[in-house]
Amino acid sequence: MAINKYMRAALKTLSYADIDIKNNYKIVRQLENAAHMDVTKPFYKTWDHTVTRGDHVIPVRIFSPDETLRDFPILLFFHGGGWVIGNIDSYNKVCRTMAKLTKHIVVSVDYRLAPEHRYPNGLLDCYEVAKELFLNSGLLHIRPEQITLIGDSAGANLAAAVSLMARDKGEFFPERQILIYPATYNDHTEHSPFPSVRENGTDYLLTSKRVQDYMELYMNSPKDLTDPYFAPLLSENLKDQPKTLIITAQYDPLRDEGEAYAHRLMKDGNQVELHRIRDALHGFFSLPPRFVQVKRCYQYINQFLSEVETCE
């Protein structure tokens, strides 16, 4: 369904009522968690697990396509929310839908959030969970080649950074990653080189100001802005990355940087599939699966998973 002029007017009103996230992030968290409360949780099966990193315990929630944990391949999922909001509870519906529609076990990571835990804490939590899954094949009775990294928005940023870190550390290697409207760059002001920041940065719910505020809450110091694990598009070397599916949204300020990341990966010799979802806003992946944009997104995801898993 295309965005008509009345919907555009409503979106513009909502977008300009942008809360000061830097001073009110706790309130925004509460509102987001309440809005995504999953009242159906008692009626489907999940398993909770923990991964230890130093003196910190990282909660993990596991969703299966059925009532068992039999031999399904795995989607290791990092949720969005600007590194500041969201958790495994607020993403229950998304993960349940993902498990059902992809016929994969979904492992959702409750990484630490900024600004209480600034960069790189959330990233290191995600890396630690990935490391345990890849190196402990007995955990869910799967082989490393059955694991795909996936994330939306800030979670896609984390998935891309985990892949880069895995290559650099050499401890394990993800063979596939799915990045849904990823944040890959470090500048979302009027000076951004990407037109989508200006075209879509005020009228479509996620504003460029909100993205900039999230990044300021996430970073530990200004030097983080030039760190490729913080902004993967800045990496001078994107060679030896996983087979990658990148999905962007037409009316998203992050659209162009996500697509630029796809082209950089291609240029450096990686296998990449890129799709832009028409008439879609940032965040559409969290909508119910009846929406045409969500259906189309899962078509691309399942085609990608089927192609790469059939070849192995």
Side-chain angles (χ1 to χ4, degrees):
M1 179 178 179
I3 301 177
N4 60 39
K5 63 180 181 179
Y6 302 108
M7 179 63 76
R8 286 177 187 271
L11 289 170
K12 188 170 184 177
T13 300
L14 290 169
S15 299
Y16 278 127
D18 209 11
I19 297 174
D20 181 356
I21 189 71
K22 287 193 287 187
N23 292 317
N24 297 285
Y25 66 88
K26 291 184 179 179
I27 296 173
V28 175
R29 275 184 196 161
Q30 292 172 352
L31 292 172
E32 287 286 324
N33 291 344
H36 294 95
M37 184 178 297
D38 187 2
V39 296
T40 67
K41 184 176 184 294
F43 303 105
Y44 63 89
K45 183 67 174 175
T46 63
W47 293 262
D48 284 344
H49 177 65
T50 58
V51 173
T52 301
R53 176 177 167 261
D55 59 357
H56 171 61
V57 173
I58 309 162
V60 172
R61 183 162 294 158
I62 302 168
F63 300 76
S64 179
D66 62 21
E67 290 296 314
T68 70
L69 280 177
R70 58 191 175 89
D71 188 22
F72 292 107
I74 286 178
L75 293 173
L76 177 56
F77 179 68
F78 309 128
H79 68 78
W83 310 276
V84 174
I85 61 176
N87 57 37
I88 54 175
D89 291 327
S90 66
Y91 268 78
N92 271 337
K93 290 181 183 179
V94 173
C95 292
R96 185 183 78 234
T97 296
M98 202 185 317
K100 179 180 178 182
L101 296 184
T102 64
K103 296 295 186 280
H104 279 59
I105 289 172
V106 175
V107 179
S108 181
V109 181
D110 206 10
Y111 58 87
R112 285 176 290 180
L113 299 176
E116 295 91 342
H117 306 283
R118 293 179 181 265
Y119 177 83
N121 284 292
L123 170 60
L124 295 177
D125 287 350
C126 293
Y127 182 85
E128 195 67 32
V129 175
K131 180 179 175 180
E132 174 162 319
L133 270 183
F134 277 91
L135 298 185
N136 184 1
S137 60
L139 182 61
L140 289 171
H141 308 290
I142 46 84
R143 302 182 305 277
E145 58 269 23
Q146 293 179 289
I147 303 170
T148 300
L149 304 185
I150 181 171
D152 66 321
S153 191
N157 167 281
L158 292 168
V162 166
S163 292
L164 288 170
M165 188 175 287
R167 178 201 63 188
D168 296 342
K169 287 179 174 288
E171 295 179 304
F172 61 90
F173 182 73
E175 296 196 11
R176 295 173 299 278
Q177 63 179 352
I178 299 172
L179 311 180
I180 301 170
Y181 37 76
T184 66
Y185 198 57
N186 63 356
D187 184 358
H188 300 87
T189 68
E190 65 275 11
H191 304 296
S192 168
F194 299 114
S196 63
V197 171
R198 291 174 290 281
E199 295 170 1
N200 303 326
T202 57
D203 297 345
Y204 301 102
L205 294 181
L206 178 68
T207 65
S208 54
K209 177 184 180 301
R210 175 69 67 91
V211 179
Q212 201 69 15
D213 287 348
Y214 279 141
M215 284 201 153
E216 289 180 22
L217 289 171
Y218 180 45
M219 69 182 186
N220 198 39
S221 72
K223 69 179 182 180
D224 294 335
L225 291 170
T226 60
D227 186 337
Y229 296 151
F230 183 92
L233 190 55
L234 299 180
S235 178
E236 295 182 0
N237 177 11
L238 289 178
K239 294 180 179 179
D240 302 318
Q241 285 301 279
K243 299 172 185 174
T244 301
L245 169 64
I246 293 182
I247 295 174
T248 63
Q250 182 177 359
Y251 298 109
D252 182 358
L254 302 183
R255 182 194 68 206
D256 292 349
E257 66 191 73
E259 295 176 3
Y261 194 63
H263 293 300
R264 274 289 317 281
L265 286 169
M266 293 177 196
K267 182 180 178 181
D268 280 3
N270 302 286
Q271 297 183 42
V272 183
E273 187 176 323
L274 171 63
H275 297 281
R276 179 190 295 184
I277 305 295
R278 291 184 56 192
D279 302 318
L281 305 178
H282 188 91
F284 78 86
F285 190 61
S286 295
L287 293 171
R290 66 178 180 273
F291 283 83
V292 65
Q293 293 87 350
V294 182
K295 289 180 181 179
R296 192 173 299 125
C297 184
Y298 274 108
Q299 288 173 354
Y300 293 137
I301 289 172
N302 283 325
Q303 181 180 356
F304 174 78
L305 292 172
S306 175
E307 288 176 354
V308 294
E309 288 168 359
T310 300
C311 293
E312 291 167 357

